[in-house]
Amino acid sequence: MTKTIGFIIAAAGILIYATILLVGVPYLQLKDQTIDVYNMPYPNESEQRGHEIYVKNGCVYCHSMQPRDKNFGPDAERGWGRAAVPSDYAYDYPHQLGTMRTGPDLHNIGSRQASKDWHLVHLYQPRAVLKNSVMPAYRFLYEEKDSDKIERNDVVVKIDKKYNKSGKVIVAKQGAVDLVNYLLSLRRDFPTDQLKIFEKRKEQ
Amino acid sequence: MLPIIPILLIITFLVSIAALLILIWSLSKGHFNMGPESAKILFANDEVGSPEDPTLDDNQLKSFKNELVQVKTYPETSHTDERKNSFQEIDLSTYRVTKYLLISSIFWLVLGSIFGVMTSFKFNYPDWLTNYYGLTFGVLRPLHLSSVIYGWLSMAGLGVSIWMVPRLVKTKLRMELLAIVGTHIWNFGMVLGLTALFFGFTDGLEWLEFPWAIDMLFVISGAMIGIPILTTIKYRNVGHLYVSVWYIGAALVWFPILFFIANFPGVHFGVEHAIVNWWFAHNVLGLWLTPFGLSAAYYFIPKILGRPIHSYQLSLLGFWSLALFYSQVGVHHLIGGPVPTWLVTLSIVTSVMMIIPVLAVAINHHMTVWGYFRLVPKSPTLLFIVTGAMFYTLTSFQGSLQSLRAVNQLFHFTHATVAHAHMGVYGFVSMIMFGSFYFILPRITGFEWPKKSLIKWHYIFAVGGFLIYFIFLSYGGLIQGLEMLDINIDFDTIVKNTRPYLYARSIGGTFMMLSHFIFAYHVWAFFKSKNKNYSLGRI
């Protein structure tokens, strides 16, 4: 009997040891680093809803949000931005770092592609702007309307007739607008040397 | 700012010293003096030297045995009746709960592979089924993962374990009713979880998509299945616990800790959330699914061949080193990411150290079959299990290699990682589960498999489909990785160049799905035919 209990304690002990190392210590270490150090604007309501839609649609399965240092690959040269730092994720819950690049990294998509119209077309029909794309179309985020029923607040998608054979006008639902607003807000292009200055100041 | 690194160094140093002292102490106490006798614990009194495979008929088994005996190292043949089930009474006590768990797991397997194939075809036809949220790629993918990990493999692993443990401790299963209720709650949790995902309620983390409130159902039902197993171990009738029991017992202790910490809402943040996410995701494989696969392999390889495991002491070394190293490898999923460097280094070191438990297991599994490889295709159950054991060795070495920075730079973020993950959960764990099912079902019911040729077709489709899947996707990932490191190739071209390999993946996946249809049909026919053969199992 004592042997069985000893076994359970040993097995659980090993995992707890690993948990302290891999969960506990990073928690303490990163708690200090993940703060609003460079006045990154807090996401507005539409951007917050956009983040939710990003999460719900599983964008993370194909898009990473963690450009690597130039020693690891030409991420910066592709225009994906500088290497990510913990502070970049201060407002992200749940995190969406991602480990796949079926599509490009989106950490700085807002500064790389700042056109709202481009994003609205791309989400409706990715192949209208990128002919080799394997990204699914997100048609459920849009609705078709007769051209005479368009209201003043409707966000009309400027899509080529080739990709819209319905003869109707494609209007973005609120979800698509929020998602695009969120994507446009993804600009982590603030230089990290200012972070270091901040940390030094804090230590003093 | 905490002096993290010095503290870590001191802790690690103290832990190493403590581990060394424990090792010396246990050597002096004779805890490692487990000789060949302990390895025979999985046999009934007269079973060593008599092969056992309930998928073979009398004549096939006779010729199987005759060929075995011709190999010099085969133990002295016993004269027991190989068709008889020496553990009949114990199997009677596990019959109901094992049956529920196994049938449920097959249901989730079929559903999960349909989701998987749909997910794969979404890459080939990205405009297919895009009018409804629940059928978009980002929903089908977690439906696939959750069905196969928490439905298929977890329930299959629990079912095989709850059947195996009472046999290994030579007593009847205790608290069967609790485990049966637990099984139903687990299924209920699966239905709730998948429905929630379908309608857009997700935690948004890979491997942890189920809303955390529903996850608590799995913690409860997991405990309801785990407690009867642990209680049965307490009432054991053997002096020594066989290595399979170690793996299962430890997995049942580990999983609740993992699942609870990773799902705890509102605590984790930013990069730390990502670290917890991957620490969990890799541990589900390493400390939950791998123990199920390895414990079944440690049981069935010797059992089917009628020959104890190659080196029993080595198996214990393999167990403890797996526990120590596997629990720390998770952060190699974030190499190059915005995580502390020491943490990544720690995970790389432990990933490489995984070579020790993998070698220990590989030597044991393959050396037990050594000399009998020619006979493996003649026993359908052994064929599945030996294939699974081989994929374990392969995928583990691949994993250690891919954690090295230089290699990781190439394969990280590519489709090759998906291929690698499938080698672990499909090539290794699922194959071993298939083999185990073919052995267990006749034992608990006393029925014969009605169409034995279907087992062969299941194997051909599953392994063939998987090889197509793995080879093409790995190669496509390699190309993708090389091109992503080359700034002269623009991203659109890279995507274009991966497309042929994504087609091949859909073809391979379709074959795998068809093999599951064959499997599910065969199990259905098995229960329907009620093809009684009393010598096999239950009366």
Side-chain angles (χ1 to χ4, degrees):
Chain A
M1 199 60 230
T2 48
K3 260 189 178 174
T4 315
I5 291 170
F7 167 80
I8 289 175
I9 291 172
I14 286 175
L15 181 61
I16 288 165
Y17 170 64
T19 310
I20 292 169
L21 276 183
L22 269 79
V23 179
V25 182
Y27 180 88
L28 293 174
Q29 193 182 356
L30 291 165
K31 196 88 194 163
D32 282 350
Q33 289 181 21
T34 311
I35 37 176
D36 181 15
V37 282
Y38 51 82
N39 302 321
M40 192 163 69
Y42 197 78
N44 64 32
E45 270 182 32
S46 171
E47 287 161 7
Q48 285 175 27
R49 289 196 301 266
H51 178 255
E52 230 169 82
I53 289 166
Y54 187 93
V55 171
K56 265 176 68 171
N57 283 286
C59 306
V60 71
Y61 299 123
C62 293
H63 295 283
S64 62
M65 273 207 216
Q66 44 160 328
R68 296 181 292 179
D69 186 78
K70 63 177 186 306
N71 295 326
F72 273 95
D75 293 10
E77 289 175 70
R78 287 195 185 279
W80 294 347
R82 57 152 171 81
V85 292
S87 300
D88 292 342
Y89 308 95
Y91 309 131
D92 290 2
Y93 189 88
H95 86 87
Q96 298 287 299
L97 262 70
T99 55
M100 281 294 281
R101 283 180 180 166
T102 307
D105 193 278
L106 296 182
H107 205 52
N108 282 292
I109 185 66
S111 44
R112 185 163 83 243
Q113 177 52 270
S115 159
K116 194 170 187 169
D117 287 333
W118 186 93
H119 282 295
L120 283 171
V121 170
H122 180 244
L123 287 169
Y124 179 76
Q125 177 47 276
R127 280 149 296 285
V129 282
L130 294 165
K131 67 176 192 307
N132 291 311
S133 175
V134 291
M135 183 167 122
Y138 288 89
R139 281 194 215 132
F140 54 89
L141 292 174
Y142 297 81
E143 54 192 335
E144 294 174 355
K145 275 195 176 180
D146 292 323
S147 49
D148 54 339
K149 285 190 182 145
I150 298 294
E151 288 163 39
R152 226 169 45 133
N153 294 334
D154 281 346
V155 181
V156 175
V157 181
K158 292 164 188 152
I159 183 116
D160 195 302
K161 282 224 169 61
K162 204 173 123 194
Y163 299 100
N164 173 27
K165 294 192 171 110
S166 64
K168 293 183 180 177
V169 178
I170 306 298
V171 174
K173 289 188 198 166
Q174 189 58 39
V177 176
D178 289 337
L179 182 56
V180 170
N181 283 340
Y182 171 68
L183 290 174
L184 293 178
S185 78
L186 294 174
R187 314 164 65 95
R188 277 83 169 229
D189 40 12
F190 195 88
T192 46
D193 37 344
Q194 298 206 20
L195 272 172
K196 284 186 192 122
I197 294 166
F198 181 87
E199 271 174 18
K200 264 196 197 125
R201 212 183 296 147
K202 208 179 131 209
E203 275 167 24
Q204 286 160 7
Chain B
M1 189 67 194
L2 273 162
I4 300 278
I5 312 296
I7 292 176
L8 268 182
L9 282 174
I10 293 166
I11 293 176
T12 314
F13 180 71
L14 291 177
V15 169
S16 324
I17 297 288
L20 193 65
L21 289 176
I22 292 172
L23 184 69
I24 293 169
W25 173 79
S26 49
L27 280 175
S28 70
K29 285 275 182 180
H31 286 171
F32 275 89
N33 294 346
M34 286 141 185
E37 281 314 305
S38 310
K40 287 181 187 161
I41 222 152
L42 75 159
F43 298 107
N45 294 334
D46 51 356
E47 275 189 339
V48 179
S50 83
E52 185 178 351
D53 183 347
T55 61
L56 298 179
D57 61 31
D58 287 330
N59 291 331
Q60 286 171 320
L61 197 65
K62 212 168 270 168
S63 76
F64 186 69
K65 186 174 179 179
N66 285 339
E67 288 198 53
L68 276 178
V69 175
Q70 286 165 16
V71 183
K72 265 190 189 154
T73 51
Y74 199 71
E76 200 173 318
T77 316
S78 78
H79 298 287
T80 182
D81 173 12
E82 283 91 11
R83 298 287 283 166
K84 191 178 116 253
N85 181 1
S86 313
F87 291 89
Q88 198 158 299
E89 284 199 14
I90 290 171
D91 283 354
L92 263 174
S93 73
T94 55
Y95 160 68
R96 281 199 301 168
V97 62
T98 308
K99 190 179 79 175
Y100 288 142
L101 276 164
L102 264 43
I103 291 177
S104 312
S105 72
I106 295 171
F107 174 78
W108 298 118
L109 170 72
V110 170
L111 190 70
S113 42
I114 293 172
F115 288 141
V117 170
M118 284 173 79
T119 311
S120 183
F121 272 110
K122 285 259 173 185
F123 280 115
N124 313 132
Y125 304 99
D127 290 312
W128 176 54
L129 298 178
T130 49
N131 285 322
Y132 188 69
Y133 168 76
L135 297 173
T136 193
F137 169 84
V139 175
L140 286 175
R141 190 186 183 282
L143 285 177
H144 165 63
L145 186 139
S146 303
S147 311
V148 297
I149 298 299
Y150 301 111
W152 154 238
L153 285 175
S154 297
M155 296 191 93
L158 285 169
V160 171
S161 302
I162 211 165
W163 172 85
M164 197 159 59
V165 167
R167 280 179 156 234
L168 284 169
V169 299
K170 300 200 165 136
T171 184
K172 284 184 186 172
L173 177 70
R174 302 302 202 282
M175 303 159 87
E176 186 204 11
L177 192 64
L178 190 67
I180 290 174
V181 177
T183 305
H184 293 316
I185 296 179
W186 191 291
N187 274 326
F188 180 62
M190 284 300 299
V191 172
L192 273 189
L194 295 180
T195 313
L197 291 184
F198 186 77
F199 288 107
F201 299 95
T202 171
D203 277 356
L205 302 173
E206 265 179 86
W207 291 76
L208 287 164
E209 283 96 349
F210 282 165
W212 66 269
I214 295 173
D215 283 330
M216 292 306 133
L217 281 180
F218 294 105
V219 174
I220 295 167
S221 57
M224 290 168 82
I225 301 169
I227 288 168
I229 298 180
L230 294 173
T231 312
T232 308
I233 296 175
K234 195 180 143 197
Y235 288 104
R236 64 182 179 270
N237 280 326
V238 288
H240 172 75
L241 291 178
Y242 187 65
V243 62
S244 297
V245 183
W246 294 43
Y247 277 109
I248 294 165
L252 291 171
V253 175
W254 288 328
F255 190 66
I257 303 178
L258 284 171
F259 208 59
F260 187 76
I261 292 175
N263 272 306
F264 209 86
V267 180
H268 308 298
F269 57 90
V271 173
E272 188 263 353
H273 208 181
I275 294 168
V276 175
N277 189 174
W278 288 108
W279 165 80
F280 170 82
H282 212 109
N283 281 343
V284 170
L285 184 69
L287 301 182
W288 178 241
L289 303 181
T290 299
F292 286 149
L294 290 185
S295 60
Y298 266 121
Y299 183 82
F300 285 109
I301 293 177
K303 188 81 179 167
I304 295 166
L305 283 173
R307 180 176 189 251
I309 205 84
H310 177 71
S311 160
Y312 194 67
Q313 275 156 305
L314 205 54
S315 68
L316 300 186
L317 173 78
F319 171 80
W320 286 113
S321 49
L322 175 115
L324 195 58
F325 300 134
Y326 226 144
S327 53
Q328 300 179 29
V329 302
V331 189
H332 69 208
H333 288 264
L334 294 167
I335 294 173
V339 288
T341 317
W342 66 265
L343 194 58
V344 172
T345 307
L346 177 72
S347 276
I348 295 175
V349 170
T350 45
S351 302
V352 175
M353 295 296 270
M354 274 302 293
I355 289 175
I356 295 171
V358 171
L359 266 182
V361 168
I363 290 173
N364 250 336
H365 287 173
H366 305 317
M367 287 307 286
T368 308
V369 192
W370 195 258
Y372 305 91
F373 277 111
R374 197 169 38 89
L375 283 164
V376 170
K378 297 193 174 163
S379 158
T381 48
L382 192 61
L383 184 59
F384 268 112
I385 286 162
V386 169
T387 309
M390 283 177 170
F391 279 129
Y392 175 67
T393 312
L394 278 176
T395 196
S396 302
F397 282 132
Q398 193 198 3
S400 296
L401 267 179
Q402 280 188 174
S403 73
L404 298 172
R405 276 196 176 87
V407 186
N408 188 274
Q409 200 181 358
L410 184 59
F411 288 109
H412 197 29
F413 299 123
T414 70
H415 294 295
T417 57
V418 181
H420 171 63
H422 279 77
M423 175 127 84
V425 293
Y426 195 79
F428 160 44
V429 191
S430 297
M431 290 297 167
I432 287 180
M433 289 301 140
F434 292 146
S436 312
F437 278 34
Y438 283 121
F439 192 103
I440 293 173
L441 285 173
R443 283 319 192 198
I444 58 172
T445 55
F447 301 162
E448 285 262 21
W449 286 103
K451 297 188 177 73
K452 283 173 184 150
S453 61
L454 286 181
I455 304 178
K456 195 174 73 194
W457 287 109
H458 175 196
Y459 181 82
I460 292 170
F461 274 55
V463 175
F466 169 70
L467 286 177
I468 295 173
Y469 185 110
F470 181 79
I471 292 167
F472 282 95
L473 206 56
S474 297
Y475 186 69
L478 175 68
I479 303 283
Q480 187 194 6
L482 287 170
E483 289 177 348
M484 279 206 285
L485 291 178
D486 185 350
I487 185 64
N488 297 317
I489 303 175
D490 71 333
F491 204 87
D492 204 39
T493 313
I494 299 174
V495 174
K496 183 180 145 200
N497 292 345
T498 60
R499 289 171 67 172
Y501 304 103
L502 298 177
Y503 265 107
R505 186 240 306 259
S506 299
I507 294 167
T510 307
F511 277 116
M512 285 149 78
M513 181 181 72
L514 290 177
S515 83
H516 305 153
F517 289 166
I518 296 172
F519 179 43
Y521 166 74
H522 200 188
V523 172
W524 176 78
F526 174 86
F527 279 101
K528 192 158 177 288
S529 68
K530 293 197 176 9
N531 195 347
K532 277 269 185 200
N533 182 327
Y534 290 129
S535 65
L536 280 177
R538 192 162 170 263
I539 296 174

